[in-house]
Amino acid sequence: MVQRQPERRLQGELRQTRPAMKSVSWNHRAAVTQKSIDESESMLDQIRSRRGRRREAGSQDESLSRSVQHDDTSEPDETLTFRPSDSVRADVTDDVTDAAGGGEGGPSSPAGRLGKPDRGGGGDSPRAPPPLAPRRLSAAGQETFRSQLKKRLSLAEIKGHGRAARRSRAQPRTSRFDTLREGGTSRAYEDYMRATAAGRTGPSSVQAYDFFCRIWEDPPSERRAATAPATPREAGEEASGAAESLSLSELLGGEQLEPVTRHVAPMILSRKAQLAREADIYFTPSPIPIPPEERLPAGGQARDPAEDGIYVPRRPHLAGRNLHKLENRLLHSSDRHVRQLVDFRLQSEETWSWFGEDGQLLCLPDPLLSRPRHRDYRDVSEDALTDYLPASMEAPRPADPEPTVSAADQPQQLQLHVHLVAVRLTEHPLFSKEHRAAAGLEQLHREYTALVDDDTVNRLTQRLWAVRRARDGVLSAALQLPSADHGDHSGDRADHSGDHGDHTGDGAEQVQRRRIDDYTTSIQRLREQRDAAAAQQRRLCRSILRRWRELKVLREDQGFSSTPLRLAVRELPSDSGQETELWQRELRAELEELRTEHDRSKQHLDAEYSQQLSEWRDRRRQLGPDSDQLGPRPQPPAEFDPQQVLADIEARATGNRRPPGEPKLAFDLLDTHPITATADCPKPEQQRRQAVSRCQLSVRTLIGGREVSHTRPQPLSQQLVSELHQQLAVRLRAAPEALQLEVCEEGTRRSTRTLAKLRLPSPASHVTERTALPEWTAFSAAGSGPAARGRLQAALYWGVDEETGSVLAPPADPTAEGAAAAELAAPDPNDPADASMTANMPDPCAAAEAGDRPAPLRPGCDGFLTGAPDPADSARCRLLRLRDAGVPEFRHVTMAPLRDQQVPQQLFTAYQKRLEAQSAAGAGAEEAGGDGGESARRSVLQYQLRIKEMVARRLRAAQKHKRLEDMVREDEVPDIGTIGSVFGSLLSVRRPLNPPRKQKQSRPLVDLQGQELQLLCHVVRAFNVPVRRDTDAVRTDYSRPAPAAQATVAQSSLLPKVSVRPFMELTFQRQTVRSNVAQGPNPTWNQDLKLPVTLPPQGVADLHSLDDVIHLSLQDEMLVDLLDDDRLQDTNVHQRIERRWLAELTVPFSTLYINGRVEGTFRLNTPPLLIGYDCDVTARGTLFHLTESLPTGQTGTYVTVFITLEPPVNVPPTVQEHLESMETEKLLAHCESWTRAFRRDYPGRRVRCTVLDVTGRSALVCRYIRPLRPPDALLAACSNEEDQALLIARFVSLIPNVSDVNFFSGMYDLWTTCQEFLDMQAGDEEEHAILLCNFFLYLGKRAYLVLGSGIPEGLTAYVLRLVQYRLQSDPVLARPGSGIREGLTAYVLTDEATNRWLWNPCTGQRSSAAESYSSLLSVGCLINAENVWANTQVYAQPSCISFDVNLVGDWRPLFTARQPAPAEMASVQAETLRYSVTDTVRVQADAERLERRLRDHLQNWRQRTNWTPWNRPCSDALRRMLPLLERSTFTPAISGAQLADEQTRLLANIHATYKVCGVPLNVPQHSQEAMVEALFALGVHRNDSREAEFALAVHMEPYPSNIVAVWVYVAALTRRR
Amino acid sequence: MAAAAAAAGGVPSQQCFLLSVTGQVESARLAGADQLYCRYQLHGGPDWDIVTGLEEGISQVSRPSQDARQLLVWNLPVEVSYKATNPYGWPQLIVSCYGPDLFGNDVIRGYGVSHLPTAAGAHRVTLPLFVPESTSQLQKLVSWFTGRRPELADASSLATGDGRDVMRVRSQGYVTCSFQVVTKDLQRLGYDNGRRAPAGAAGGDLQPAGGGDGRPG
């Protein structure tokens, strides 16, 4: 029943499909319903037509069969399966009829599909599958079916779509079936059917095969073929179900679905049952202790180890309750898991238990345990762990393989590695006698050790005995055999009698004899060899001992030792009895052998003798008995004399071998002998050692005559060993025959002498790094040079390709291997030592194939590709190292190139240049170059740079230590203060019209990456702006106007309506932004000015190194009428805007950066003279509160500004580091406690006890104070003491002021000594103050250094003390307590008989200490050379305090009687200061150069107008004016009025024709760039008038020590009309 | 990636190696987190340059899955191609997870960091998460109330070793990431990243078709 197979398969399918069908959703079904109803109609039609056709068919079998076939074209299986035989057909028809007649039955029965036995009707159904389609229904059946369907449909319509759809699920299948048949989707099927129809006789074998092998596309069609259901009702339902599933399967494309949700009924247990179940699962350990017997193993007895005297460490504390719980858990838990664990443990290690012998839980480490019990990471399987491969530096591969060479003809690549380990000299001119002796000893020892290690003597002895035994065995066999088989084998006897040699015997006998002969000769040979080896060993022994004695004597003689060699002689244990026995045995054996030999040779000798004798007799007979020619009578061969022979043997043995009883010696060469220190050696030896230490060895490697590498010279150790340890990889195209190495000696004078040359054969092709061992190769000097011998240790091996793992070696040369094989007498194929050879032996079978193998490479070697340089020398490595070290040039290098060639060289050249410059600057800073003063200045700058670099390095190292605040952002815990302020702010008066500025949250620098940093300046207002004088009116009398007080009244009516139109201009980094124009002398702008900050190239992190200056200038905008024709005045406006520089405020950027903001009212820097403006008109009406609060005599222009950065930047914190100090620990501790105590009591006051110097060491401040002589020129300049002081103050103030912050790129407060200060020509006010103080002390004044906080030059900290001009702020305008850090400053107090003066060292100005106004706000401490006094008075204002340091209540000294000052207080200052002489000629030249430069710049800036005419007369007049201005700064006698008069006088002629607007600038000489910037900020060049002319004058006033006061007067002139 | 290599300006393509990583920040297991979003950022050394792809990304807010795993799935794609001249500073992926706390404040839920895999192929990496601890119990309480828990000032500082010694952290959960890594020219330039090439493959690295470096096989 083959035919049933496909059907069974289908049944199975259906079974699977059916449950899936049920899960289709309801909606889906509804959608299908209508369709299925339509389709059921069409199905009925088809059935009708089919019935018609059936009727036409004949009743014969054949025709029926045909009709069936024809009819069911789409059901090949049925047609094929059932060759219609009557019975079957009848059965089927009956079945169907029954089914149809069953009423509710569908067209097919699911029972058949499900493979269940039929439950009724056709009893034959088990026998035959139900393959018939409903199309073959009988007429009656069809009628019933139709009516049934109709009834169903109507029912469906009534009951709703859902039900109907489910019931009529059968229809779509039919329709599909029909479309299949009619539409011809299954073409293959149709073809097949056609063929079948053509054949008529049934399928051919091919067709049958095809049928069974093909996968039909329409398997659902068979599902209709089902047997009739058993129970009609059930069958009906199932039929509809089947229909349902079929249609759904069609819709779903045969997909099987899983139920989306599964409803499981909640399992509710009674509480009791629940508890019972939980009891199984849960275990609640009780906290009750377990009795000890339970804790012990069965039958155990608790034993306290402590009682046994065993040390028991303290047990870790554990709460008893928890402990008991744990014990309970371990013991009583019903949980199988723990039990199993315990059991497992117990099984695996019998002794293991949770509890110790004392019944306590084990919780202490067991010292006896070899392996920890916890799971180690090493227990993890190997696969789970990542392998760690250490990084290795390998020779880089060739950059790029030539693209032209294809893979095919790419020559073979070889990679030869040479590892040069060491060179050891054994003879050299530098060798001392002792070295030579030691080398000899070493050589002997090496030979001896080789012999001993080889065990030659023993080995030969063993072999000797083995051969002897073999011989004896053969002999005894020969003796015994004849006794066993006496008659048969006469040959055996022959063997036996072989010694006697009287038998010729047969073949076997011959063999035996030959063997014995062989043995005998080999015994003889071995004996000789053994004796020779033993003799050599013994000789070596003797030589070693002799050499060692010689060496010892030598050392004693010369009185020192320069080699560490020492011979240790050990006596090895020996058994004398056994040795004697062996010795005797050996002697006996030898004697016996000699006897045998003698016997053997005796016959021959006898024969010879008899022959000789007969010859002799013949001769005697012929010649006569007494003839001279007769010769002596031949002697008969000597008889064997055992005694004599034995004596000989013994004597020889004693000479060669160690006789029994003599101690057995072993030698060890140690290098433990103390070497005499060089200092203790005699002169020649010292010289020799020096020569050795100078000597260096290097090795040159040559391949094919070309040098591949030359190792770095390595120094020779005193033992004349040079450790090279260098590896070299060479890429080759052909294997070289040998490698030539040259050992070179690098002489003292850069001369290289080749010591020796040696050749190393290239390694065998299987030698790789793993198998290669460094070997010593001896070399000796070639040529005429002094003799030198030595040994070189080197390893040669082939490289391994990383990727393929193949050895980059030439293919093994079979001929060479053959030659090697020939050398060996008999290579054993089984010997592993010969494996490589046998593996390489040409296989005879493969020989034919191997014919086309490439010929072995010719050893010509011009083909190496690259020599690998030492990676440490490569440019890239250097770059990476420098970057890692944070060298500024390299710190920001990204994408460091991979190859040396691509590393830009200019990167290094810049660095090198800097290094050289630094070293040059350090060597001789003061050499005068051709460039005049500028070169000296440059050298000073380089000195500064060097110090800067050093400090920066220190700082960077400190910054690497991050703090928690740097890492984690965390809110502060509100303390009482903050809470109080929060509530306080709620209660405070609300003033909406006076909004305070809110502090912005500043952010760390890292957050700013990628953001634009902006400078934000809010200019509020200005007071007391100079007003224009009526310059249009040509005055005739150039006298000074009336005094201010009178003029105010007098001029107020005369003043023009708009006296001045000021605006503020912000200049930073050459960018400019200006405010609007306000009117009048007291303008209000209230305007924000913003400028972008160009960050340093290194990014935000180096913001503090930005040393640009913010210029804020006050300017006057003037409208100049350009209309030439007065008639146009009414109709036209033609004006030009001109600007006049009035005053300026400069703030270094670092100040802003440190403080975060600069806020307040500042006095602007006004020039001493301003042409065309009235500066000193103070009382001009509307000065608000200012007028009243301005102290009398205060003049100047004030501006209220607020400058900050946007976004705000976090200030890097001060580095608090405990650095080394020159003070004692005790003193430091005292200083610290004193400072802390004072700070606690007086938080606002500034004290310093110890400060850092430039080397980073801290020192007591007192050490900085020491009288120092000022330059003689200054002392000589004035006779008046007061003038002298002023001049000195002026001198000190001229030294440029650079803050530590800027200079030392961090928060260090470093104090330089006066000499360093003068050398660097830069420092902040502490340095100025110290220098001034020291000068004053020299002058005999009582001077103190005053450290205090205040607003020396402005409200904020560093702000204005860094300003390069004389700046003063109005103290009254400052609002202390506005949250800004107050400036820390240093002053000098001179205590004179008449007056106490406070000197501002940065301006050179002095003020009386008693003056109610002082720019110093609070005094922190006074310092002189002996002590430090901290201010403990109620007030800190200088005007309010007493400066008498002896008053204990007012001043707290650092050193008291109880805590005295250190005995010696060596000053850090040099005794006298070195002042370099200022070259006045050079200064003059500098001034001219500066003037030229400034002119050039001015012309460049005026590019727009093309032409810059210079007014020479005016320039000359201004130049004459400048020295006077300089003098006025330190001569109080010259007043401002006098200056103005003088100027008016000088400019009288010019004023007649021009309107002059000019400004004098006074800049301490910092750099020319700074002056250029200052000039740019003046904005004089921005004069667009075509008629404008310019005047520029530069004056440099030289002071000693290259200090120069620079004055620049610049003016713009406009011709009067 | 060949196009990417061509687009990589500055360093010629032969002189650098390329690392292309595609992958995703798949999911997190973080107990107690109801809603969570994450932000990833990549941090490479000085010799690394992004050729294509985004250096940072932020995910949607995810809720834990409704099963026992309680997975918070993002599947946030990470696609980046680097070119580099030095394996030093191999890029690292830093994942920061945020989510609302009890009071609805957005707080940090965990930081995790991992190097991108060095070997070519598919990798699955589990990053342990941690958060900085408050410096004191009082601060802990305050930060819990205010919802301003301690955060890293700069998450990329995790990629460098600086300052690890000063902060204390508490571990939180895990983030799972999957990466598919392709490297190019690593072995040609002499770097061995532990992955041997199958015999017969040209070059050592997995490389795209057409991206061959002309190395004879």
Side-chain angles (χ1 to χ4, degrees), chain A residues 1124-1162:
Chain A
D1124 290 334
D1125 197 343
D1126 285 348
R1127 286 167 300 177
L1128 297 173
Q1129 207 100 51
D1130 296 340
T1131 51
N1132 281 2
V1133 175
H1134 191 187
Q1135 286 179 327
R1136 189 184 54 239
I1137 298 171
E1138 273 185 14
R1139 48 170 65 199
R1140 300 276 166 84
W1141 188 90
L1142 296 179
E1144 170 182 65
L1145 180 73
T1146 53
V1147 180
F1149 180 77
S1150 56
T1151 301
L1152 177 62
Y1153 170 63
I1154 296 303
N1155 292 291
R1157 58 181 180 172
V1158 172
E1159 186 183 23
T1161 303
F1162 305 105

Side-chain angles (χ1 to χ4, degrees), chain A residues 263-269:
Chain A
H263 292 285
V264 180
M267 192 177 67
I268 299 165
L269 289 172

Side-chain angles (χ1 to χ4, degrees), chain A residues 1162-1364:
Chain A
F1162 305 105
R1163 181 183 162 149
L1164 288 168
N1165 172 42
T1166 43
L1169 280 174
L1170 206 56
I1171 308 169
Y1173 283 87
D1174 269 334
C1175 326
D1176 43 0
V1177 183
T1178 44
R1180 256 196 320 248
T1182 55
L1183 268 186
F1184 307 111
H1185 57 284
L1186 191 69
T1187 324
E1188 302 91 66
S1189 44
L1190 260 182
T1192 49
Q1194 285 289 313
T1195 57
T1197 310
Y1198 299 88
V1199 66
T1200 309
V1201 288
F1202 171 78
I1203 311 175
T1204 189
L1205 286 171
E1206 173 73 35
V1209 185
N1210 237 8
V1211 182
T1214 313
V1215 181
Q1216 296 289 350
E1217 248 191 314
H1218 189 71
L1219 294 160
E1220 58 177 319
S1221 172
M1222 56 169 62
E1223 311 298 344
T1224 58
E1225 283 297 321
K1226 198 179 155 197
L1227 180 63
L1228 283 178
H1230 172 63
C1231 288
E1232 200 172 325
S1233 66
W1234 183 78
T1235 314
R1236 211 183 302 124
F1238 181 72
R1239 287 217 177 116
R1240 194 181 54 231
D1241 298 343
Y1242 302 92
R1245 297 183 190 175
R1246 182 194 182 201
V1247 287
R1248 285 306 289 272
C1249 294
T1250 54
V1251 287
L1252 299 178
D1253 65 358
V1254 280
T1255 55
R1257 293 198 311 167
S1258 64
L1260 205 64
V1261 278
C1262 301
R1263 293 183 192 268
Y1264 281 84
I1265 311 294
R1266 177 184 203 167
L1268 290 172
R1269 184 182 168 80
D1272 292 336
L1274 296 185
L1275 294 177
C1278 315
S1279 54
N1280 184 359
E1281 197 176 293
E1282 197 172 316
D1283 284 357
Q1284 244 173 17
L1286 280 168
L1287 182 60
I1288 287 170
R1290 168 71 181 161
F1291 168 73
V1292 172
S1293 70
L1294 279 174
I1295 302 174
N1297 191 348
V1298 178
S1299 92
D1300 284 348
V1301 181
N1302 209 339
F1303 195 81
F1304 294 120
S1305 67
M1307 306 302 110
Y1308 280 119
D1309 188 16
L1310 298 188
W1311 286 21
T1312 55
T1313 63
C1314 290
Q1315 188 65 59
E1316 285 164 337
F1317 175 49
L1318 282 174
D1319 286 348
M1320 280 202 292
Q1321 302 207 344
D1324 61 5
E1325 59 279 334
E1326 282 103 355
E1327 277 92 36
H1328 284 90
I1330 293 166
L1331 187 64
L1332 191 61
C1333 182
N1334 290 346
F1335 283 161
F1336 284 161
L1337 284 173
Y1338 181 82
L1339 291 180
K1341 296 175 189 290
R1342 278 182 64 199
Y1344 295 93
L1345 183 67
V1346 182
L1347 291 187
S1349 59
I1351 40 165
E1353 293 127 349
L1355 185 66
T1356 54
Y1358 292 85
V1359 180
L1360 298 166
R1361 66 176 171 148
L1362 308 174
V1363 172
Q1364 292 160 347

Side-chain angles (χ1 to χ4, degrees), chain B residues 105-139:
Chain B
N105 296 311
D106 208 25
V107 297
I108 182 72
R109 288 298 192 167
Y111 295 102
V113 65
S114 160
H115 277 97
L116 294 181
T118 52
H123 300 266
R124 208 178 171 75
V125 178
T126 303
L127 279 63
L129 297 180
F130 56 86
V131 285
E133 273 279 83
S134 294
T135 39
S136 66
Q137 291 297 322
L138 178 63
Q139 290 216 329

Side-chain angles (χ1 to χ4, degrees), chain A residues 1051-1063:
Chain A
Q1051 285 182 346
S1052 55
S1053 55
L1054 299 173
L1055 279 172
K1057 206 176 176 188
V1058 174
S1059 53
V1060 66
R1061 289 161 52 83
F1063 65 90

Side-chain angles (χ1 to χ4, degrees), chain A residues 937-1232:
Chain A
R937 187 144 304 283
R938 214 175 293 141
S939 68
V940 167
L941 285 177
Q942 274 157 2
Y943 180 61
Q944 292 178 356
L945 273 177
R946 212 150 48 91
I947 301 237
K948 217 170 172 174
E949 178 74 15
M950 193 179 69
V951 175
R953 210 179 309 130
R954 226 169 237 285
L955 187 80
R956 250 200 321 277
Q959 272 175 350
K960 284 213 170 137
H961 302 292
K962 296 251 169 129
R963 295 171 309 155
L964 183 66
E965 295 87 80
D966 302 332
M967 297 298 298
V968 179
R969 217 180 287 150
E970 189 179 16
D971 279 4
E972 295 275 319
V973 174
D975 56 5
I976 294 298
T978 51
I979 292 171
S981 67
V982 166
F983 287 111
S985 67
L986 290 178
L987 298 173
S988 66
V989 185
R990 293 168 65 88
R991 294 181 62 189
L993 292 180
N994 185 16
R997 203 170 258 120
K998 269 185 190 164
Q999 183 80 39
K1000 264 182 119 174
Q1001 185 74 40
S1002 60
R1003 278 186 285 170
L1005 286 172
V1006 278
D1007 279 12
L1008 293 175
Q1009 226 73 12
Q1011 282 191 37
E1012 192 180 290
L1013 196 64
Q1014 272 193 330
L1015 184 72
L1016 190 144
C1017 177
H1018 183 77
V1019 284
V1020 185
R1021 57 178 169 247
F1023 311 109
N1024 213 5
V1025 177
V1027 290
R1028 291 175 207 155
R1029 218 184 295 162
D1030 183 16
T1031 45
D1032 267 358
V1034 182
R1035 288 194 181 188
T1036 45
D1037 58 327
Y1038 292 106
S1039 63
R1040 172 110 180 81
Q1046 298 164 14
T1048 315
V1049 186
Q1051 285 182 346
S1052 55
S1053 55
L1054 299 173
L1055 279 172
K1057 206 176 176 188
V1058 174
S1059 53
V1060 66
R1061 289 161 52 83
F1063 65 90
M1064 293 298 283
E1065 190 174 63
L1066 178 71
T1067 310
F1068 182 64
Q1069 291 175 336
R1070 284 289 176 92
Q1071 284 173 303
T1072 301
V1073 63
R1074 50 164 287 184
S1075 72
N1076 292 333
V1077 174
Q1079 307 283 344
N1082 299 309
T1084 301
W1085 294 285
N1086 259 332
Q1087 200 175 350
D1088 277 340
L1089 307 177
K1090 281 184 187 175
L1091 276 181
V1093 177
T1094 312
L1095 296 175
Q1098 293 87 357
V1100 189
D1102 280 1
L1103 208 56
H1104 54 77
S1105 68
L1106 208 65
D1107 53 359
D1108 294 293
V1109 178
I1110 303 163
H1111 294 272
L1112 200 62
S1113 57
L1114 178 71
Q1115 305 210 13
D1116 177 23
E1117 191 181 85
M1118 274 183 95
L1119 295 177
V1120 179
D1121 202 351
L1122 288 179
L1123 279 179
D1124 290 334
D1125 197 343
D1126 285 348
R1127 286 167 300 177
L1128 297 173
Q1129 207 100 51
D1130 296 340
T1131 51
N1132 281 2
V1133 175
H1134 191 187
Q1135 286 179 327
R1136 189 184 54 239
I1137 298 171
E1138 273 185 14
R1139 48 170 65 199
R1140 300 276 166 84
W1141 188 90
L1142 296 179
E1144 170 182 65
L1145 180 73
T1146 53
V1147 180
F1149 180 77
S1150 56
T1151 301
L1152 177 62
Y1153 170 63
I1154 296 303
N1155 292 291
R1157 58 181 180 172
V1158 172
E1159 186 183 23
T1161 303
F1162 305 105
R1163 181 183 162 149
L1164 288 168
N1165 172 42
T1166 43
L1169 280 174
L1170 206 56
I1171 308 169
Y1173 283 87
D1174 269 334
C1175 326
D1176 43 0
V1177 183
T1178 44
R1180 256 196 320 248
T1182 55
L1183 268 186
F1184 307 111
H1185 57 284
L1186 191 69
T1187 324
E1188 302 91 66
S1189 44
L1190 260 182
T1192 49
Q1194 285 289 313
T1195 57
T1197 310
Y1198 299 88
V1199 66
T1200 309
V1201 288
F1202 171 78
I1203 311 175
T1204 189
L1205 286 171
E1206 173 73 35
V1209 185
N1210 237 8
V1211 182
T1214 313
V1215 181
Q1216 296 289 350
E1217 248 191 314
H1218 189 71
L1219 294 160
E1220 58 177 319
S1221 172
M1222 56 169 62
E1223 311 298 344
T1224 58
E1225 283 297 321
K1226 198 179 155 197
L1227 180 63
L1228 283 178
H1230 172 63
C1231 288
E1232 200 172 325

Side-chain angles (χ1 to χ4, degrees), chain B residues 73-91:
Chain B
V73 180
W74 294 304
N75 288 339
L76 172 66
V78 178
E79 289 189 6
V80 72
S81 293
Y82 275 101
K83 68 170 178 177
T85 57
N86 196 348
Y88 167 75
W90 196 277

